[in-house]
Amino acid sequence: KQEVTQIPAALSVPEGENLVLNCSFTDSAIYNLQWFRQDPGKGLTSLLLIQSSQREQTSGRLNASLDKSSGRSTLYIAASQPGDSATYLCAVSGNTGKLIFGQGTTLQVKP
Amino acid sequence: DTGVSQNPRHKITKRGQNVTFRCDPISEHNRLYWYRQTLGQGPEFLTYFQNEAQLEKSRLLSDRFSAERPKGSFSTLEIQRTEQGDSAMYLCASRRGTGGDYNEQFFGPGTRLTVL
């Protein structure tokens, strides 16, 4: 059974810092790994999708890496801003496309 | 705006009542997924459709829950005889493809259910 773990559960940093969020999964037989952002009481916004054959994806200040063999992914956020404050969720999918999520990392960026 | 819409956005009901939620996916997406998210947790898979066919149901989906996707367009999720433990955010997502591919999944804003 696939399990996804995210560390840390919560993180507070001053504005401008670079930071790394971690995600690990137990079964390496995945098709995709997707990172999402969720604001309080809202739905999920897709940030980055990494296909199982890829090593990383970049979008603006965000960079996500994938090491499928070790079951790990990281989301790197450069030059953090208060507007980055949210919960970040990692999810993996297999051949049905259904997503298995971690519990999320709640990020607070202080001005 | 991801293009997936859900209605209602909020629903408050009394224990024992029936509720129904609606999801309208992105129009060209043939796969539709339902998830449930409780406070402080990541979303958990409930069920999914390929066009109008319901292909998988989680063990979380008790016999009080039923989902449909008539004509492969919008989907409804009904909960009968609601219980306080059903209080959660219900999320709908859609994507292209038939699985076993690399397509992105897009989520709606969710329906927050509160059972009193």
Side-chain angles (χ1 to χ4, degrees), chain A:
Chain A
K1 176 187 172 186
Q2 178 73 270
E3 293 183 356
V4 180
T5 303
Q6 290 187 246
I7 295 173
L11 183 62
S12 180
V13 300
E15 181 177 4
E17 273 205 5
N18 302 327
L19 57 101
V20 175
L21 308 181
N22 296 292
C23 172
S24 61
F25 48 96
T26 55
D27 185 349
S28 62
I30 64 169
Y31 274 80
N32 295 327
L33 186 143
Q34 217 169 331
W35 282 94
F36 295 90
R37 169 184 172 138
Q38 186 174 35
D39 293 294
K42 306 292 186 182
L44 277 62
T45 299
S46 180
L47 297 174
L48 290 165
L49 179 145
I50 310 177
Q51 298 175 8
S52 59
S53 59
Q54 296 175 327
R55 298 284 292 181
E56 65 178 321
Q57 284 286 335
T58 298
S59 176
R61 294 182 295 107
L62 305 179
N63 175 276
S65 68
L66 174 63
D67 184 341
K68 186 180 167 184
S69 61
S70 69
R72 295 184 179 186
S73 176
T74 60
L75 179 67
Y76 175 83
I77 302 176
S80 59
Q81 304 171 357
D84 295 330
S85 298
T87 295
Y88 291 82
L89 292 156
C90 161
V92 298
S93 65
N95 61 356
T96 64
K98 73 180 182 185
L99 293 171
I100 307 297
F101 285 85
Q103 291 188 319
T105 294
T106 299
L107 172 65
Q108 182 183 29
V109 181
K110 296 180 179 179

Side-chain angles (χ1 to χ4, degrees), chain B:
Chain B
D1 184 7
T2 64
V4 179
S5 61
Q6 292 186 247
N7 288 288
R9 296 290 306 277
H10 303 275
K11 179 70 177 179
I12 300 174
T13 191
K14 293 182 180 179
R15 188 178 56 185
Q17 297 294 305
N18 299 343
V19 295
T20 300
F21 311 140
R22 176 176 171 132
C23 171
D24 288 88
I26 294 171
S27 59
E28 65 268 27
H29 287 184
N30 53 352
R31 286 224 162 171
L32 186 149
Y33 300 79
W34 285 99
Y35 298 85
R36 181 173 72 183
Q37 185 179 27
T38 54
L39 201 61
Q41 303 296 314
E44 295 176 289
F45 168 77
L46 292 178
T47 187
Y48 83 95
F49 293 83
Q50 169 79 21
N51 298 315
E52 68 276 10
Q54 187 174 19
L55 297 186
E56 185 177 348
K57 293 191 288 187
S58 162
R59 58 180 173 78
L60 293 176
L61 215 65
S62 75
D63 56 7
R64 295 186 297 106
F65 288 70
S66 62
E68 294 182 340
R69 193 184 181 196
K71 303 179 183 178
S73 55
F74 69 91
S75 177
T76 58
L77 178 67
E78 180 183 16
I79 309 174
Q80 296 182 330
R81 305 181 303 282
T82 53
E83 301 173 355
Q84 288 183 328
D86 297 331
S87 296
M89 175 80 89
Y90 290 83
L91 295 162
C92 175
S94 70
R95 68 194 287 271
R96 289 190 184 93
T98 57
D101 54 39
Y102 304 104
N103 292 316
E104 194 171 356
Q105 198 162 136
F106 295 90
F107 280 76
T111 294
R112 178 163 297 283
L113 172 66
T114 301
V115 181
L116 301 176

